[in-house]
Amino acid sequence: MRLEEYWGVGPKTRETLVEELGRERAIRAIEGGDVRTLADAGLARGRATRILRRATGGAGMAILATSDARSAYKELLDLAVEHAVTQRAADRIRVLTPLESREAMDERLDDVLAARDAWAELADDDRTAVLEAYERYDDRGGSEHAAVEAGLALLAAGVDSGPFAAIADLERERLADAAEALAALDGGRVREGADEELDRLRDALGAVEDMDANALALIEDLRAEGVHDAEGFRQSFEDHLLTETDVTIDRVRDAMPTDATDATDFVGDTLRTLRSDLTDAVDEREQAVASDLEERLADARDAIDRTVEAVDDIALHLSLARFALEYDCTRPIFIEGEARSTSEDTNERNERGSDEAAVSVVNARNITLASRDDESVQPVTYALGEHGVTSVPAGVNAVPDEERVAVLTGANSGGKTTLLETLCQVVLLATMGLPVPADRAEVTPVDSLVFHRRHASFNAGVLESTLRSIVPPLSTGGRTLMLVDEFEAITEPGSAADLLHGLVTLSVDREALGVFVTHLADDLEPLPPEARVDGIFAEGLNPDLELLVDYQPRFDTVGRSTPEFIVSRLVANASDRSERTGFETLAEAVGNEVVQRTLADARWTTGE
């Protein structure tokens, strides 16, 4: 395959990769999802990540039908990366994509949930030992040597079940020998400390080279000791070499010339011969030691390769397990045709027809909000399609019906957008084969995920580009999930209501799943009978004049924006009498009695 056939690899990128890695190694790095190798070759890490996502999961990326869907996908990966135990694991998380087959989703879920359970059961000391092993792995650059040392550390920690089972049957003695050999070799050269004789020869060579660089000073030092005749000079020089260089007496005497004309020639010729002899001796010894080390590595190659793969896979699964534990994630139930997955719910529902589809969540949490230390997250329950929710938590007004399309209405800052994001996160995580942040969730894997956040603009170009992105997925014949937020924000209200009604109708006709957030519920009547209207309600102000909202939607109920709460707060917070008078005029428009009751309920006093 030509490098330029990969998405994102143009002539300049191909030239860079071939120059730094060679064609074959570059292809192996792309096919193997190796961000680090591509980044080390000179590609920006973000660009390398984008290339690898398309190379290893291009079909999965095609599910993300809008830029907002792709943005939500990247946000999830960024949050997961925060729990990576190695840089390599972080890179592998960044190139995870939605998966095409149910089998692949289930397989990854099995691995991640096994790792989650094993990690949760580990004692604190064992967790610390594992994390320290991976920290050292990163410090050593994630090399083969680092991986083998990490494998040995995991074995020493006694973690050998669940996700760690891959290293349980490795031979500790062979790995220890391999680690020693890997530590001794550096790109074909033998490192210092690997062989005593090689170190002795290298030290001797270094001492001789230093003497040769300062030969004239050495001659003066010898003469200063009172040596003037040739034999005395020869003996003194020999003693100096034996004392300072650890060279054998035979090698020294063999190197001394018999025909030198003066002290300078004698010393110079001796040192040059010694340098040449020692260089050859060092090369010969290093070649012998390296050959022995490479033999040992060849014998241990299978164990090394298995360890590298196991350490890498364990790091990935542990990282995703830590992410799942952080957000209390559970296994989703897949609904797809006659087959529905998860051994946990095999007998939960009766068999349905081949066309069933659903997205449902019970007590789902928005991961983005949950990741913020200062945010408290109210779980929500919601469902579309032929779901299996038969009972709901306290505070939910009813078990939702099985309409596939819903219009969501209600208060500003009421959590409507957050609900869309939460559903988007659940579907994305499930189709990537990852646990989801809900007590229970059902997901039909979709061919197109249309997520459209609110974009406030009446620009005709924005309207056209939005329609071009959200309508075609409904026309392809595949399964589509529509999550559209305040479509009316991009055009005038009258036209927006007509267009939104058309989108809801088209979604119903194409048997899509969808939630459409809007403030125009009344203008959409009559909706198709297959669609329902849900609502979120503001309930008042607290003593700090903050809006109290029940973020749990009420099914089959139109929500209200309750502007009197906002006006009440403006009246209460007015900075002077004239400003308050203006807001009181608005209070009369929305119902002054309601405003005053709201302020009384919030225990507000004017302080006048």
Side-chain angles (χ1 to χ4, degrees):
M1 185 172 183
R2 295 171 57 245
L3 276 171
E4 289 182 10
E5 292 179 30
Y6 290 104
W7 182 93
V9 179
K12 289 183 66 176
T13 301
R14 177 192 59 77
E15 183 179 342
T16 298
L17 293 177
V18 170
E19 181 178 342
E20 295 295 327
L21 302 174
R23 177 181 171 278
E24 295 301 325
R25 188 181 172 202
I27 289 176
R28 285 199 304 272
I30 292 174
E31 293 289 343
D34 192 344
V35 174
R36 176 177 293 177
T37 295
L38 297 187
D40 289 346
L43 269 62
R45 188 171 289 273
R47 179 169 180 76
T49 298
R50 290 191 295 274
I51 290 172
L52 296 182
R53 283 174 183 159
R54 295 287 180 173
T56 59
M61 291 299 291
I63 292 172
L64 309 176
T66 61
S67 61
D68 286 326
R70 292 186 288 275
S71 176
Y73 156 77
K74 293 172 187 175
E75 288 170 8
L76 282 176
L77 294 185
D78 287 342
L79 289 170
V81 160
E82 293 179 5
H83 301 277
V85 298
T86 65
Q87 181 58 54
R88 167 70 174 152
D91 287 339
R92 291 184 68 183
I93 290 171
R94 289 190 181 96
V95 298
L96 293 178
T97 65
L99 299 168
E100 293 183 79
S101 72
R102 270 274 312 286
E103 292 75 14
M105 297 174 199
D106 281 329
E107 183 178 350
R108 183 177 288 163
L109 275 164
D110 288 343
D111 290 337
V112 173
L113 290 171
R116 179 200 65 181
D117 295 342
W119 186 252
E121 292 169 3
L122 279 184
D124 289 343
D125 289 347
D126 289 338
R127 288 192 188 188
T128 300
V130 170
L131 293 178
E132 287 177 347
Y134 277 115
E135 186 177 349
R136 290 191 296 272
Y137 170 89
D138 258 2
D139 290 342
R140 292 167 177 159
S143 62
E144 276 192 344
H145 178 218
V148 171
E149 291 284 4
L152 287 168
L154 293 176
L155 286 171
V159 287
D160 56 5
S161 61
F164 304 104
I167 64 167
D169 59 346
L170 296 175
E171 299 177 38
R172 191 176 306 214
E173 289 184 6
R174 174 162 288 190
L175 275 187
D177 185 64
E180 185 179 291
L182 287 166
L185 283 173
D186 181 13
R189 298 298 305 276
V190 179
R191 286 192 176 97
E192 182 180 353
D195 181 74
E196 288 185 9
E197 177 61 14
L198 180 58
D199 288 346
R200 187 189 69 77
L201 289 171
R202 284 172 170 170
D203 290 342
L205 176 59
V208 169
E209 288 173 338
D210 290 342
M211 285 186 192
D212 193 24
N214 298 281
L216 292 177
L218 173 60
I219 293 170
E220 291 300 322
D221 289 343
L222 293 174
R223 285 174 173 168
E225 294 175 1
V227 178
H228 298 290
D229 63 286
E231 184 58 33
F233 186 88
R234 177 190 178 94
Q235 186 61 51
S236 182
F237 181 42
E238 179 181 298
D239 292 342
H240 185 79
L241 285 171
L242 293 174
T243 302
E244 300 297 327
T245 66
D246 196 25
V247 180
T248 64
I249 190 169
D250 290 338
R251 192 184 293 276
V252 170
R253 288 177 177 174
D254 288 345
M256 287 181 171
T258 58
D259 56 352
T261 58
D262 57 27
T264 301
D265 284 346
F266 179 74
V267 170
D269 287 350
T270 300
L271 293 176
R272 281 191 293 275
T273 300
L274 279 176
R275 284 184 62 182
S276 177
D277 290 349
L278 287 169
T279 297
D280 290 343
V282 166
D283 290 344
E284 182 180 346
R285 181 65 185 179
E286 183 170 27
Q287 185 176 0
V289 173
S291 178
D292 176 66
L293 291 170
E294 286 163 359
E295 256 185 59
R296 290 161 60 186
L297 290 177
D299 290 342
R301 176 44 55 191
D302 180 62
I304 292 170
D305 291 343
R306 287 167 57 204
T307 302
V308 169
E309 182 179 1
V311 166
D312 200 17
D313 287 345
I314 290 169
L316 173 64
H317 295 141
L318 277 188
S319 301
L320 295 172
R322 282 155 46 88
F323 168 74
L325 282 170
E326 176 69 19
Y327 297 106
D328 198 18
C329 295
T330 60
R331 188 184 193 108
I333 304 164
F334 289 115
I335 301 177
E336 187 177 14
E338 292 184 358
R340 52 180 289 119
S341 81
T342 183
S343 56
E344 298 174 7
D345 289 274
T346 301
N347 301 315
E348 183 175 326
R349 297 173 60 205
N350 296 325
E351 186 178 277
R352 293 179 179 268
S354 61
D355 196 35
E356 68 174 358
V359 172
S360 74
V361 292
V362 175
N363 281 337
R365 283 83 57 188
N366 183 285
I367 286 183
T368 305
L369 294 182
S371 68
R372 302 170 186 165
D373 293 337
D374 59 342
E375 293 278 356
S376 60
V377 180
Q378 178 184 337
V380 295
T381 295
Y382 205 74
L384 301 167
E386 295 80 21
H387 60 82
V389 178
T390 57
S391 61
V392 293
V396 181
N397 72 315
V399 173
D401 290 334
E402 295 189 354
E403 295 91 350
R404 292 190 179 185
V405 177
V407 172
L408 184 59
T409 61
N412 287 318
S413 301
K416 300 185 298 297
T417 300
T418 300
L419 176 61
L420 293 189
E421 290 177 347
T422 304
L423 294 176
C424 183
Q425 290 173 352
V426 167
V427 172
L428 280 173
L429 288 170
T431 53
M432 285 193 287
L434 299 177
V436 301
D439 291 356
R440 182 184 185 280
E442 297 171 305
V443 172
T444 294
V446 295
D447 300 297
S448 297
L449 173 56
V450 175
F451 180 36
H452 173 74
R453 287 187 170 105
R454 181 181 185 274
H455 299 280
S457 173
F458 284 174
N459 185 298
V462 173
L463 175 61
E464 180 178 354
S465 64
T466 300
L467 292 174
R468 284 184 179 276
S469 68
I470 68 176
V471 173
L474 288 169
S475 307
T476 60
R479 178 73 67 200
T480 302
L481 173 62
M482 303 288 290
L483 301 171
V484 179
D485 187 18
E486 293 194 31
F487 180 80
E488 62 264 28
I490 60 174
T491 189
E492 60 273 11
S495 299
D498 294 337
L499 288 170
L500 184 54
H501 190 281
L503 283 174
V504 172
T505 301
L506 181 61
S507 298
V508 169
D509 290 344
R510 299 305 167 89
E511 297 185 338
L513 297 163
V515 182
F516 295 84
V517 168
T518 184
H519 291 285
L520 304 178
D522 293 339
D523 297 325
L524 299 181
E525 296 295 340
L527 284 171
E530 298 86 353
R532 71 168 187 259
V533 177
D534 300 329
I536 291 177
F537 288 80
E539 298 180 332
L541 300 176
N542 68 13
D544 295 324
L545 301 180
E546 295 170 340
L547 193 63
L548 294 173
V549 178
D550 179 8
Y551 297 107
Q552 170 59 51
R554 301 178 193 175
F555 302 113
D556 293 306
T557 306
V558 178
R560 297 300 176 189
S561 296
T562 54
E564 64 269 17
F565 297 143
I566 304 300
V567 174
S568 300
R569 182 163 59 187
L570 293 172
V571 171
N573 291 332
S575 58
D576 55 46
R577 186 177 297 276
S578 61
E579 184 178 283
R580 181 179 300 164
T581 299
F583 288 133
E584 285 173 345
T585 300
L586 295 181
E588 292 176 2
V590 299
N592 190 57
E593 182 179 344
V594 175
V595 170
Q596 294 304 320
R597 185 168 62 248
T598 299
L599 295 177
D601 290 343
R603 298 185 177 87
W604 176 80
T605 57
T606 63
E608 292 181 354

